[in-house]
Amino acid sequence: MKFFIDTANLDHIKEAKALGILDGVTTNPSLMAKEGITGKDNILKHYAAIAETVDGDVSAEVISTDFAGMVEEAKVLTEIANNIVVKIPMIMDGIKALSWCSEHGIATNCTLVFSGAQAILAAKAGATYVSPFIGRIDDINWEGMDLIKQIAEIYAIQGFDTEILAASIRTSKHIVDAAISGADVVTCPLDSYLGMLKHPLTDIGLEKFLADYRKGNS
């Protein structure tokens, strides 16, 4: 399973890369705004900086909601770097844009997916990735991981090549559950990955080893 970091913060991206676990990056307009990056030129420059920092895929989201607008944005975004993946929303014109991008060799990430039916449409349209939003499904008292399992089963039965990118991941437990459920990729903030390091028995065990060493070597 690949690890993507969901952020526009270059420091967090570099820290994840330094851990040796980073496979890619996902971003969106909200994450850009959170870092104070506004204006088309500044956003494009920031995408370029991210793409230069990592070797893996970098999802860059379109703003348009009409077919022609999404296609034009896709053309601009893919000129930034070879590892840019165009993130397109799960709407009717989005499916048309996914199909167009697939026909023209442009990698895509279909975002805002909340059902197996939507995931089938994305795969049929040739999406490189499909992004079910796990945390947001949990927020409305459904089980987000059930959707990952359903999509994984559908894709296996039908032989779809689209990768399942579990998004809206909020905890280290979500990451483990996504792995069990069949996700190909998870994307989450840096804190969720760092949370995977934590276990009280690790801390207790390390302290005992060090204490024993100090007793015999002081």
Side-chain angles (χ1 to χ4, degrees):
M1 187 172 70
K2 290 183 281 190
F3 281 5
F4 288 6
I5 187 170
D6 194 37
T7 187
N9 185 301
L10 282 175
D11 289 336
H12 288 181
I13 293 168
K14 290 174 183 177
E15 188 171 348
K17 183 178 179 180
L19 287 171
I21 64 168
L22 186 63
D23 297 299
V25 176
T26 57
T27 61
N28 59 48
S30 297
L31 293 172
M32 285 287 185
K34 184 178 179 181
E35 299 302 321
I37 301 159
T38 58
K40 180 180 177 181
D41 289 344
N42 289 332
I43 290 172
L44 293 178
K45 287 177 183 177
H46 199 69
Y47 279 139
I50 293 173
E52 188 176 351
T53 302
V54 300
D55 297 325
D57 288 342
V58 176
S59 285
E61 189 162 344
V62 300
I63 304 301
S64 300
T65 56
D66 64 288
F67 170 73
M70 285 187 270
V71 165
E72 288 307 309
E73 285 190 60
K75 292 176 182 176
V76 171
L77 290 170
T78 54
E79 289 177 357
I80 294 173
N82 292 331
N83 55 336
I84 290 288
V85 173
V86 181
K87 191 188 283 190
I88 295 174
M90 169 47 70
I91 56 177
M92 184 177 291
D93 276 18
I95 293 298
K96 294 177 183 178
L98 287 169
S99 298
W100 185 93
C101 287
S102 178
E103 292 169 3
H104 290 80
I106 295 174
T108 54
N109 177 358
C110 184
T111 190
L112 293 170
V113 169
F114 295 96
S115 73
Q118 290 179 327
I120 292 171
L121 282 175
K124 286 289 291 180
T128 310
Y129 299 100
V130 61
S131 290
F133 277 45
I134 304 311
R136 295 194 192 185
I137 294 174
D138 288 350
D139 288 344
I140 59 171
N141 295 317
W142 289 4
E143 181 55 62
M145 288 303 160
D146 285 349
L147 177 57
I148 297 294
K149 292 175 185 176
Q150 183 185 60
I151 297 172
E153 183 175 3
I154 291 168
Y155 283 11
I157 291 170
Q158 297 301 327
F160 290 133
D161 294 327
T162 301
E163 294 190 51
I164 303 168
L165 195 164
S168 190
I169 294 285
R170 297 171 180 170
T171 67
S172 55
K173 183 179 184 301
H174 266 165
I175 298 170
V176 174
D177 289 344
I180 293 170
S181 300
D184 300 293
V185 189
V186 291
T187 188
C188 58
L190 178 62
D191 285 348
S192 298
Y193 290 126
L194 296 181
M196 298 176 76
L197 292 165
K198 299 175 183 177
H199 196 287
L201 293 180
T202 301
D203 298 336
I204 292 169
L206 180 59
E207 180 54 37
K208 185 179 187 308
F209 293 154
L210 293 175
D212 288 345
Y213 175 81
R214 287 191 292 267
K215 287 178 185 177
N217 295 278
S218 58

